Amino acid sequence: MSANANAAAVVAAQPKKREGCKGCSASVHADEEQLQRILAKLALHPGDCVPDAQYAARLALCSECPSLQYGTTCSHCGCFVRVRAKLAAKSCPHPKGSRWP
């Protein structure tokens, strides 16, 4: 199973909260434990992940973005930014174009 599929399965298995996400039933909230569990699963697939320096650069840009909601979630795609930023196949979903290097 790819890291993307693992991340999707972990997110789908989370308890459902009905706040925020208009596009799906997934919660837009995650605590540190949930995010660490997802990131630990991604770490099992290093070929699917960006290098640490690129990950840090992506997160720095996300932290300054007004589309970051609840400190965890991108308002454009509904993804947890710490998970999306780790995946090499993903890009920033900003409607005016990716802000990530």
Side-chain angles (χ1 to χ4, degrees):
M1 183 180 292
S2 75
N4 287 341
N6 274 341
V10 169
V11 170
Q14 295 176 357
K16 306 249 186 280
K17 293 180 183 177
R18 296 286 181 182
E19 184 182 340
C21 186
K22 297 174 185 172
C24 65
S25 60
S27 173
V28 295
H29 296 279
D31 61 28
E32 183 61 27
E33 182 180 327
Q34 290 173 308
L35 290 173
Q36 287 300 323
R37 192 172 45 243
I38 296 168
L39 292 171
K41 289 192 181 228
L42 292 179
L44 298 174
H45 304 275
D48 293 333
C49 298
V50 296
D52 290 344
Q54 186 177 6
Y55 179 60
R58 286 179 171 190
L59 290 181
L61 291 167
C62 288
S63 71
E64 297 171 357
C65 182
S67 302
L68 178 64
Q69 302 292 308
Y70 317 109
T72 58
T73 307
C74 175
S75 66
H76 299 295
C77 64
C79 294
F80 298 126
V81 295
R82 288 173 56 190
V83 174
R84 188 177 182 100
K86 191 71 175 166
L87 295 169
K90 297 294 184 183
S91 63
C92 167
H94 195 280
K96 292 184 179 176
S98 179
R99 295 180 172 194
W100 291 347

